[in-house]
Amino acid sequence: PRKRRYIVAETGQKIETVGVIGAGAMGRGIAQVGMTGGMAVLLYDAMAGAAAKARDAIFAQLDQMVSKGRLEDDAAAVAKTRLTVVDTMDAFAPADLVVEAIVENLAIKQEVFRKLEAIVRPDCLLASNTSSLRIASIAATCQHRARIAGLHFFNPVPLMKLVEVIRAPGTSDAAIAALVAVGERMGRLPVVVQDSPGFLVNLGGRAYTQEALRIVSEGVATPAQVDAVMRDNWGFKMGPFELMDLTGIDVNFPVSQIIHEGYFYDRRLATAPLHQLLKESGRLGRKSKQGFFAYDDAGKGVVP
Ligand code: NAI
């Protein structure tokens, strides 16, 4: 496939050891691309057993890549040796970069960054995978903000090539260059964007999902019809409703709210009551087997 380069960066500081905090859907993907990109990965989650469960899932993913011929057997075996599951953030002391992928909550992220400052080396970079919070807000309670930036991956990480490298007002050029280089080593296509609500992809993405929600709310078409048109006619990989079910309504509803608020309640960015209804009724998408569509145990859509 054609390799596109969004920007060519000067390689900054060399990143060999990456700490990943949060071993959920995103953290495990970030760990995996770090491992296949040749870096040592330390994986931590606050919930007991979550990081070990993530390790099993990552190993299964690597085995699947081997069976599909997308990864050499030896390369998968070496990648597996690069992962260490840790049970305390203190284990991040030797890291060159820590990527945070925990719950989308500003106060909790601020606390984690403050704790990390006391653990890591002064030259260790700190990045957040936040979808919608401002990097400047996460960094607001930290002492050394030049090394703090966003490194925003997309779900599922191993398949989605893009990564947004987010520059907050205080982020140094060296930190941005190092994160672009690390993104490329992870096999991603980095794009450097400014620190604004939703960054590039989730701001632009509002047009995709919010308009689709409006069309369905108005009774113009069903979710299946909208998805079919966007997918089969316009060439999107997924329709907006499949996409929201994949991301999780518990993730994309608050993201929509945060971006709407971040642009001072711009009407363009308002989501629809239907979105909130799904969230409040626990129809969270694939993870709850019911969202806009229903899913079977294998995660396959069974409706329509
Ligand atoms: P998730 O719910 O699958 O995983 C979050 C993990 O963080 C859980 O395992 C939880 O136990 C752990 N955690 C929570 N608080 C913690 C703490 N204080 N210390 C250590 N671990 C903690 O969430 P997901 O989907 O992986 O999202 C993580 C972050 O990535 C969020 O900021 C989200 O907005 C962002 N994101 C999510 C995307 C998605 O499609 N799901 C896409 C891009 C970014």
Side-chain angles (χ1 to χ4, degrees):
R2 192 159 53 106
K3 182 166 167 28
R4 276 188 296 165
R5 275 180 172 249
Y6 287 79
I7 77 160
V8 179
E10 299 274 314
T11 303
Q13 163 185 353
K14 192 103 174 108
I15 310 269
E16 295 300 345
T17 302
V18 180
V20 177
I21 168 160
M26 297 303 292
R28 63 183 62 177
I30 298 165
Q32 184 180 325
V33 296
M35 292 153 64
T36 50
M39 284 156 269
V41 175
L42 307 167
L43 182 61
Y44 169 74
D45 197 287
M47 202 203 297
K53 199 171 140 210
R55 176 184 51 207
D56 295 345
I58 295 167
F59 284 12
Q61 281 284 320
L62 293 171
D63 291 342
Q64 201 184 52
M65 285 170 74
V66 171
S67 67
K68 288 186 176 168
R70 287 172 28 221
L71 188 67
E72 293 294 324
D73 216 353
D74 293 354
V78 173
K80 288 178 185 174
T81 66
R82 296 197 180 111
L83 179 66
T84 309
V85 165
V86 299
D87 57 11
T88 157
M89 286 201 332
D90 293 337
F92 290 145
D96 304 307
L97 161 68
V98 176
V99 184
E100 166 275 313
I102 66 165
V103 60
E104 187 78 338
N105 175 302
L106 180 60
I108 300 178
K109 285 194 198 282
Q110 283 178 334
E111 192 195 330
V112 160
F113 273 71
R114 264 201 318 272
K115 277 191 189 154
L116 282 170
E117 270 200 322
I119 295 167
V120 300
R121 289 196 318 264
D123 62 344
C124 174
L125 302 175
L126 301 180
S128 175
N129 183 53
T130 180
S131 310
S132 58
L133 298 168
R134 244 183 239 274
I135 303 304
S137 311
I138 296 172
T141 57
C142 288
Q143 303 275 328
H144 306 291
R145 300 182 199 165
R147 57 162 167 186
I148 301 178
L151 193 61
H152 180 218
F153 294 85
F154 296 86
N155 190 14
V157 179
L159 297 180
M160 300 293 281
K161 288 281 180 192
L162 191 67
V163 62
E164 290 178 318
V165 177
I166 298 134
R167 182 197 290 273
T171 312
S172 71
D173 292 345
I176 295 295
L179 289 174
V180 167
V182 92
E184 288 180 343
R185 262 181 90 191
M186 290 175 169
R188 308 297 96 187
L189 294 167
V191 54
V192 178
V193 298
Q194 300 299 325
D195 189 16
S196 61
F199 315 123
L200 187 165
V201 173
N202 279 331
L203 178 59
R206 289 317 94 188
Y208 194 55
T209 53
Q210 251 89 302
E211 204 53 45
L213 281 159
R214 263 190 286 273
I215 287 169
V216 167
S217 304
E218 294 282 336
V220 177
T222 64
Q225 287 175 312
V226 174
D227 278 7
V229 168
M230 299 313 286
R231 198 180 47 232
D232 305 337
N233 189 53
W234 286 17
F236 282 78
K237 273 225 170 89
M238 279 193 186
F241 294 100
E242 290 173 86
L243 178 65
M244 285 186 275
D245 273 0
L246 175 72
T247 318
I249 311 296
D250 54 333
V251 175
N252 54 50
F253 178 72
V255 166
S256 295
Q257 296 286 90
I258 292 167
I259 297 174
H260 186 215
E261 192 189 322
Y263 283 97
F264 302 102
Y265 304 102
D266 185 336
R267 281 272 317 137
R268 267 182 324 140
L269 299 168
T271 190
L274 173 63
H275 201 183
Q276 185 172 31
L277 184 69
L278 258 78
K279 160 83 170 46
E280 288 178 354
S281 54
R283 295 187 165 202
L284 305 181
R286 284 196 196 192
K287 65 177 77 168
S288 69
K289 296 194 184 152
Q290 174 76 59
F292 292 102
F293 305 115
Y295 298 87
D296 63 17
D297 288 338
K300 284 240 162 24
V302 289
V303 169

